[in-house]
Amino acid sequence: MSRFVRASKYRHVFGQPAKKEHGFENVKVTNSAWDTNIISASGQYISVNWNSSGGGAFAILPLPSPFQSISGFPNKLPDPIPLARSHTAAVLDTDWSPHNDSIVASGGEDGKVMIWKVEASQFEGWGLEGWEAQDFDPVLRIDGSPRKIGQVLFHPTASNVVASSSGDYAVKLWDLANPEDARAILTGHGDVIQSMAFNPTGTLIATTCRDRKLRIFDARAGNEPVRINDGHSGVKGSRVVWMGELDKLATTGFSKMSDRQVAIWETGGLGNVKTISLDQSAGVVMPFWTDNNILFLAGKGDGNIRYYEYESDSLFALSEHKSSEPQRGMCFLPRRALNVSDCEIARAYKVHGSAIEPIAFIVPRKADSFQSDIYPPAPSSEPSVTAAEFFNGKVPTLQRVSLADGSSVAPGPASASPFSAVPPTPSSAVPAPSPIQATRSFTASAPTPVPPPAVATASEPLLSRKSEPTPAPVESRAPTRSHTVDSSREAELEAENARLEAELREAREKIRNLELQVETVRANARKAAQALLDG
């Protein structure tokens, strides 16, 4: 029977919804028709776009858990609650900083980007007799655009950097320490920007647009995209998410016949790897990626959440979490905040009706010890570069932590590159970044033998080696006199393997870097030629 069933440790993952008292009720969700996820989460709080009069607002609430209720906090929210109200028009999107669980950014129809700092003391006494709601105040206001701000997104590795997409068809990057002017402006969109996503190190940004194009931008160089291709052929909402270290993008959208689709794209040439039709429902599909190589798909208006495992350029259906409550919005918890003792590999927060429901996705195992094979290191809350360093051309690395004990996983020469398989920043204005990580001499033929398998197979040994699960199989062998020799030889082979993998990735990265620089120079040359003709 096993010959016909694909082996996977995630084959039996199931969604465990929380009890009512472990979520929130009496939630007054916004009535805005703008297409965003409505809700966002950090490791401590959630934010949800609120239905309020007299301007725009969103609510900030303590993070609910599917396993227990919040001590001293009502699960049924009182009618007047503290809100973040400073926007003069509807709030369209919020996003929490990956480096500080208490900082959240918001964007609204008033064209403003605002930054908010949350204090735990602001939640004391909620709902008790004599309690009065005190609204939150922003710590920073940015005039983002004369038109609406549709999405806001914190940078994954640089501290105090926020991206915003606006109604003037541009993505702007802001340094929160110097917010007077945008540090980079990404143009070239022909219509409203529908979604955007950073790559894991934040050097590139992918966007989807109503003009049905998929674009990749250098996050620092600005101006035109360095890659562009036709996306989904339907004009309805399309979303994009970066597939971690796999050098791939996943998008959801619609076909010309209004079929809902999910597609995989390689980032080197932005070619389509695979497109799958899902169904013919009308709701926009929200994609979410986890480092377990699992893609979650939640359709607006659906009661179900599909999830697929990515392997060898294919998406294999794992299962489906079904519910009778259709979701209006959804977000996922940062992986570093998961409950590993219950084998929880992902957690969703679902907005439906007037409630927020946590849903834990669990691998059913009976073992009490930490399950290192299902918990690769998670992105850390520590930034790797400052905003000034990032915009001055320093190539960031993704800091990671072990979910076993919260300890840092040092990048080092062998682990700095798994997330760099996606090309880093090319910039005609700042030519220095291209050779930064190319400290050795390689030939162009070096990366030839390692297309997708190099990234897919190289990352797992590196990650598991840092979580230190490798001693287990060695210790499980029968003790012999050659045990020490075998262990030493195995360690030498692993070190050599890691070194070769790092060299191959660096060579591949250097070539991609040069290719993208050529693309940038060509784009700038075309603009200059057009300007001369227009003059």
Side-chain angles (χ1 to χ4, degrees):
M1 187 68 180
S2 60
R3 292 183 304 163
F4 305 102
V5 177
R6 190 182 67 90
S8 172
K9 54 197 169 190
Y10 303 114
R11 193 154 56 92
H12 300 293
V13 170
F14 66 95
Q16 175 182 308
K19 300 177 181 178
K20 282 190 175 182
E21 58 268 26
H22 294 173
F24 288 127
E25 295 180 300
N26 197 31
V27 178
K28 300 175 182 177
V29 186
T30 179
N31 290 327
S32 173
W34 184 256
D35 178 31
T36 58
N37 291 356
I38 296 178
I39 187 172
S40 180
S42 74
Q44 296 182 22
Y45 304 104
I46 59 173
S47 57
V48 58
N49 299 355
W50 206 256
N51 182 20
S52 65
S53 58
F58 66 97
I60 299 173
L61 302 168
L63 193 74
S65 165
F67 306 103
Q68 61 186 12
S69 59
I70 302 175
S71 177
F73 198 87
N75 76 293
K76 184 172 182 179
L77 301 178
D79 286 330
I81 68 169
L83 296 174
R85 292 183 182 272
S86 292
H87 285 276
T88 58
V91 173
L92 301 180
D93 194 28
T94 60
D95 188 53
W96 290 88
S97 169
H99 308 128
N100 189 326
D101 287 334
S102 300
I103 293 179
V104 61
S106 62
E109 288 186 359
D110 56 1
K112 300 290 191 295
V113 176
M114 296 190 186
I115 309 298
W116 313 74
K117 179 75 165 65
V118 184
E119 301 293 342
S121 60
Q122 294 174 278
F123 298 98
E124 294 177 358
W126 270 51
L128 298 180
E129 187 176 350
W131 171 77
E132 293 183 3
Q134 299 292 325
D135 288 341
F136 299 92
D137 291 318
V139 295
L140 180 63
R141 293 178 172 86
I142 301 174
D143 292 326
S145 170
R147 300 187 180 182
K148 66 177 66 175
I149 299 295
Q151 292 95 20
V152 289
L153 188 63
F154 269 97
H155 195 280
T157 58
S159 60
N160 298 324
V161 176
V162 172
S164 65
S165 69
S166 53
D168 50 8
Y169 311 157
V171 174
K172 299 178 182 179
L173 270 71
W174 306 90
D175 178 356
L176 299 185
N178 300 283
E180 293 78 17
D181 296 299
R183 293 298 302 270
I185 301 178
L186 315 180
T187 59
H189 299 93
D191 208 326
V192 173
I193 299 165
Q194 295 174 323
S195 72
M196 59 182 179
F198 279 107
N199 70 332
T201 57
T203 54
L204 300 174
I205 296 181
T207 64
T208 57
C209 181
R210 195 177 288 172
D211 63 8
R212 291 172 273 190
K213 300 289 186 183
L214 177 63
R215 295 172 172 87
I216 294 179
F217 292 85
D218 179 345
R220 290 175 283 202
N223 298 323
E224 300 290 323
V226 294
R227 291 283 188 271
I228 183 170
N229 200 358
D230 292 331
H232 297 273
S233 55
V235 72
K236 293 173 68 176
S238 178
R239 298 289 191 89
V240 62
V241 65
W242 217 285
M243 297 173 66
E245 59 188 344
L246 297 180
D247 205 7
K248 298 287 191 297
L249 293 170
T251 62
T252 57
F254 292 80
S255 70
K256 286 184 178 179
M257 303 302 292
S258 294
D259 293 337
R260 293 200 296 189
Q261 298 176 324
V262 58
I264 306 298
W265 311 79
E266 53 87 17
T267 58
L270 209 52
N272 180 260
V273 176
K274 183 179 288 291
T275 300
I276 301 173
S277 291
L278 300 174
D279 53 38
Q280 291 186 323
S281 298
V284 172
V285 178
M286 299 173 284
F288 304 94
W289 175 260
T290 75
D291 292 332
N292 307 86
N293 288 359
I294 297 178
L295 180 67
F296 291 86
L297 302 178
K300 288 193 173 185
D302 298 359
N304 59 338
I305 304 172
R306 300 178 175 95
Y307 38 104
Y308 300 80
E309 185 174 10
Y310 176 84
E311 184 180 358
S312 303
D313 289 341
S314 295
L315 289 174
F316 296 94
L318 291 173
S319 188
E320 186 174 352
H321 171 73
K322 296 183 179 181
S323 169
S324 59
E325 300 288 350
Q327 55 241 6
R328 289 198 55 194
M330 185 171 292
C331 71
F332 272 65
L333 184 71
R335 287 185 57 244
R336 57 185 165 80
L338 293 173
N339 189 338
V340 297
S341 62
D342 288 308
C343 293
E344 180 189 33
I345 62 167
R347 185 189 303 175
Y349 287 94
K350 170 180 173 178
V351 178
H352 62 86
S354 61
I356 296 174
E357 177 186 33
I359 303 171
F361 290 91
I362 295 173
V363 176
R365 291 187 177 180
K366 294 182 179 180
D368 295 328
S369 59
F370 177 73
Q371 305 294 294
S372 59
D373 61 320
I374 61 174
Y375 287 112
S380 168
S381 60
E382 294 296 324
S384 63
V385 293
T386 65
E389 289 172 336
F390 175 74
F391 288 113
N392 286 335
K394 184 174 181 179
V395 176
T397 57
L398 183 65
Q399 304 295 317
R400 295 178 292 168
V401 294
S402 168
L403 295 184
D405 54 11
S407 60
S408 296
V409 177
S415 62
S417 52
F419 289 97
S420 303
V422 178
T425 305
S427 171
S428 57
V430 185
S434 61
I436 277 184
Q437 294 187 355
T439 55
R440 303 183 181 89
S441 174
F442 303 104
T443 62
S445 62
T448 306
V450 288
V455 178
T457 59
S459 58
E460 267 197 7
L462 291 173
L463 297 182
S464 61
R465 191 158 52 249
K466 287 171 185 156
S467 308
E468 299 184 15
T470 47
V474 175
E475 292 175 2
S476 64
R477 299 172 185 165
T480 65
R481 277 179 287 181
S482 62
H483 177 80
T484 305
V485 177
D486 292 343
S487 299
S488 175
R489 180 59 179 163
E490 184 178 349
E492 290 176 5
L493 290 174
E494 285 185 351
E496 179 67 12
N497 183 45
R499 185 183 66 80
L500 293 174
E501 288 166 356
E503 290 181 356
L504 289 171
R505 286 200 183 96
E506 288 172 359
R508 187 180 183 190
E509 176 183 347
K510 184 177 179 182
I511 292 171
R512 288 282 177 81
N513 215 5
L514 293 172
E515 289 176 350
L516 285 174
Q517 276 196 330
V518 171
E519 293 283 349
T520 303
V521 171
R522 285 176 177 170
N524 290 337
R526 286 195 296 269
K527 289 183 67 176
Q530 186 63 42
L532 288 173
L533 291 174
D534 294 343

